[in-house]
Amino acid sequence: MLYYTYVLENTLTKRHYVGSTNDIDRRLEEHNRGHTKSTRSRGKWKLLYVEKYNIEEQARKRERQIK
């Protein structure tokens, strides 16, 4: 299984969000449907950047580094 560290940008506010997941498509959909508390705002989110990892902890560590 692959794990991802990603950066999103809100298309309206230009705000950024950094996260990690094992399913990037599902996660982006959750952000855009307002299912994620920290990204519930007007506008849609677009994927700006993604890194792939084989180990979940590596993805989470990279998420913390970017934040």
Side-chain angles (χ1 to χ4, degrees), residues 2-63:
L2 287 175
Y3 299 91
Y4 306 89
T5 300
Y6 61 93
V7 179
L8 302 178
E9 181 181 68
N10 185 286
T11 58
L12 183 64
T13 64
K14 303 303 181 195
R15 181 177 156 212
H16 291 96
Y17 177 85
V18 179
S20 59
T21 185
N22 64 353
D23 187 338
I24 194 71
D25 294 326
R26 174 189 50 80
R27 194 66 176 137
L28 180 58
E29 186 177 319
E30 289 173 349
H31 285 292
N32 279 321
R33 288 186 178 200
H35 293 224
T36 304
K37 185 177 180 180
S38 58
T39 58
R40 263 187 224 146
S41 63
R42 295 180 355 164
K44 293 294 182 184
W45 293 88
K46 68 178 180 178
L47 187 62
L48 284 184
Y49 182 76
V50 65
E51 295 177 357
K52 297 177 186 178
Y53 296 92
N54 292 316
I55 300 170
E56 182 179 14
E57 183 52 38
Q58 290 175 331
R60 291 183 185 274
K61 181 178 179 181
R62 181 65 173 138
E63 175 188 354

